[in-house]
């Protein structure tokens, strides 16, 4: 048979008033008015059928049996508080904490996350991003479960799975390359508006040196906070950005971007899924790892059969 308890708000108001022996101090603690405390206690007295406080014109007194009731309620509220914290801690422990570069998140990971959510609708994801290089100690300290980062896959004490290459190629809108006279030479970039990402300041210089454009000033043009902004500026026809193949492939296939110069420079870096070795059997991590590696296979297959894919353009 169910037990009918007094109203929770009334109990909370009484516990605070009994502890302070003051309606005013109870009201300050609970962020309500003294009148609200008085009404809640009157409600509790009506439910219980007895007076809980001795009220005089000058002060408020609490009988011993009432004080004991207030103490018991305080212990009960503290147990509820501890149980709630344990529940929330356990829930957070089940979430998957992922840290990822901003542009990779926006242009590659985010469009695919709904697929993961449909497969694992109860799995909570905590996703953080950065424009700066990711601190290596995040995984060692246990601050996150998974880090997607760029490098050569040789991080000590980490398991690394290659996701996508970071080969570089110039990209711009079809209208911009047409205005420059169609397919361009490296030398013609000296007259073009270069779009640079401040998060990846060396990309243009690396590509120009590899393509034979050592004499071209890579600092000219417009500077943007992130590669995503530089890519969008290229789509809008403002100039030529230096794109990471894996992050602009869909724009190239869709025709939003074109390659004015078909020279791909690969410096050997790539995006990797990384995690601590002791976590590799964690069920949450296994779920995410198998899912994202499957997405890589699907993306590579899609890109390989895309007729609009520029020659030599690949994820790896």
């Amino acid at each position: 048979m169910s037990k009918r308890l007094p109203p929770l708000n009334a109990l909370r108001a009484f516990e605070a008033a009994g502890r302070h022996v003051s309606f005013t101090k109870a009201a300050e603690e609970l962020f309500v008015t003294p009148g609200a405390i008085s009404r809640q206690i009157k409600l509790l007295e009506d439910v219980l059928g007895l007076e809980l406080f001795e009220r005089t014109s000058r002060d408020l007194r609490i009988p011993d049996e009432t004080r004991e009731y207030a103490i018991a309620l305080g212990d009960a509220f503290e147990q509820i508080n501890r149980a709630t914290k344990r529940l929330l801690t356990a829930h957070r422990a089940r979430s998957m904490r992922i840290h990822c570069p901003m542009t990779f998140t926006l242009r590659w990971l985010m469009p695919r996350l709904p697929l993961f959510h449909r497969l694992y609708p109860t799995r909570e994801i905590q996703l953080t991003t950065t424009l700066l290089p990711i601190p290596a100690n995040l995984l060692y300290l246990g601050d996150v479960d998974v880090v997607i980062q760029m490098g050569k896959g040789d991080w000590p004490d980490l398991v690394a799975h290659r996701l996508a290459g970071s080969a570089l190629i110039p990209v711009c809108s079809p209208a911009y390359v047409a205005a420059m006279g169609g397919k361009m030479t490296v030398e013609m970039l000296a007259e073009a508006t270069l779009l640079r990402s401040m998060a990846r300041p060396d990309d243009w210089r690396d590509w120009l040196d590899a393509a034979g454009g050592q004499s071209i000033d890579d600092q000219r043009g417009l500077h943007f906070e992130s590669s995503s902004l530089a890519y969008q500026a290229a789509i809008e026809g403002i100039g030529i950005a230096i794109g990471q193949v894996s992050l602009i492939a869909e724009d190239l296939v869709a025709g939003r971007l074109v390659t004015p110069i078909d020279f791909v420079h690969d410096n050997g870096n790539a995006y990797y899924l990384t995690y601590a070795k002791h976590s590799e059997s964690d069920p949450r991590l296994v779920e995410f790892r198998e899912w994202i590696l499957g997405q890589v296979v699907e993306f590579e297959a899609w890109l390989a059969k895309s007729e609009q894919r520029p020659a030599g353009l690949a994820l790896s």
Side-chain angles (χ1 to χ4, degrees):
M1 190 169 82
S2 62
K3 298 178 181 179
R4 184 172 181 179
L5 298 175
L8 181 59
N9 285 341
L11 291 174
R12 191 71 184 91
F14 164 71
E15 187 276 329
R19 183 163 25 90
H20 294 292
V21 195
S22 168
F23 287 6
T24 300
K25 290 181 179 179
E28 292 174 354
E29 177 181 317
L30 299 179
F31 301 101
V32 296
T33 65
I37 295 293
S38 180
R39 288 190 293 274
Q40 289 294 333
I41 290 176
K42 181 62 169 63
L43 171 62
L44 182 59
E45 289 176 333
D46 290 343
V47 170
L48 297 176
L50 54 86
E51 290 188 358
L52 296 169
F53 293 96
E54 296 176 359
R55 301 169 176 84
T56 70
S57 59
R58 293 187 176 182
D59 59 10
L60 185 71
R61 297 177 183 176
I62 180 169
D64 290 343
E65 63 272 17
T66 302
R67 188 186 303 276
E68 291 177 4
Y69 185 44
I71 292 172
L73 288 175
D75 293 340
F77 284 127
E78 180 57 30
Q79 288 183 30
I80 293 172
N81 182 52
R82 289 197 299 267
T84 301
K85 288 182 177 179
R86 287 195 298 269
L87 175 64
L88 293 176
T89 299
H91 181 68
R92 282 192 294 269
R94 290 197 301 269
S95 67
M96 189 69 184
R97 299 167 299 170
I98 303 168
H99 195 72
C100 186
M102 175 70 78
T103 299
F104 188 90
T105 299
L106 291 174
R107 300 186 67 85
W108 201 95
L109 180 60
M110 191 66 72
R112 293 168 173 80
L113 272 182
L115 301 175
F116 180 81
H117 182 64
R118 285 200 289 271
L119 282 175
Y120 305 101
T122 62
R123 172 66 62 220
E124 180 179 328
I125 294 290
Q126 294 183 15
L127 177 61
T128 56
T129 64
T130 182
L131 290 171
L132 301 175
I134 296 170
N137 65 347
L138 281 180
L139 284 167
Y140 300 126
L141 295 177
D143 294 341
V144 295
D145 300 302
V146 166
V147 171
I148 295 174
Q149 55 187 317
M150 182 177 291
K152 299 186 184 299
D154 54 356
W155 295 277
D157 301 320
L158 293 184
V159 179
H161 301 274
R162 195 177 191 277
L163 299 179
S166 64
L168 303 174
I169 191 169
V171 290
C172 62
S173 70
Y176 190 88
V177 74
M180 293 293 291
K183 282 295 181 180
M184 300 169 56
T185 64
V186 175
E187 292 73 20
M188 292 173 66
L189 291 174
E191 306 300 323
T193 299
L194 302 186
L195 308 175
R196 303 182 70 253
S197 167
M198 291 184 288
R200 296 179 58 83
D202 300 325
D203 281 1
W204 263 118
R205 185 73 273 152
D206 287 349
W207 185 90
L208 287 168
D209 289 347
Q214 291 86 350
S215 62
I216 296 175
D217 181 9
D218 69 292
Q219 298 298 313
R220 297 180 304 101
L222 303 181
H223 299 236
F224 297 90
E225 182 182 31
S226 70
S227 297
S228 291
L229 294 176
Y231 298 160
Q232 189 60 41
I235 291 172
E236 299 298 332
I238 297 174
I240 304 177
I242 189 70
Q244 297 177 73
V245 169
S246 57
L247 304 187
I248 46 85
E250 293 184 13
D251 293 302
L252 290 168
V253 171
R256 291 183 292 269
L257 292 173
V258 296
T259 55
I261 303 171
D262 287 334
F263 177 78
V264 180
H265 171 55
D266 189 351
N267 61 8
N269 286 326
Y271 287 102
Y272 286 85
L273 174 75
T274 64
Y275 49 86
K277 290 181 179 179
H278 63 77
S279 302
E280 60 184 338
S281 60
D282 185 323
R284 300 166 305 152
L285 193 149
V286 171
E287 289 173 356
F288 187 76
R289 179 184 65 211
E290 298 307 312
W291 170 79
I292 197 169
L293 293 179
Q295 289 298 304
V296 169
V297 172
E298 290 186 16
F299 188 35
E300 289 179 335
W302 167 81
L303 186 60
K305 68 180 182 181
S306 297
E307 295 180 358
Q308 295 86 354
R309 179 170 58 91
L313 192 61
L315 281 175
S316 56

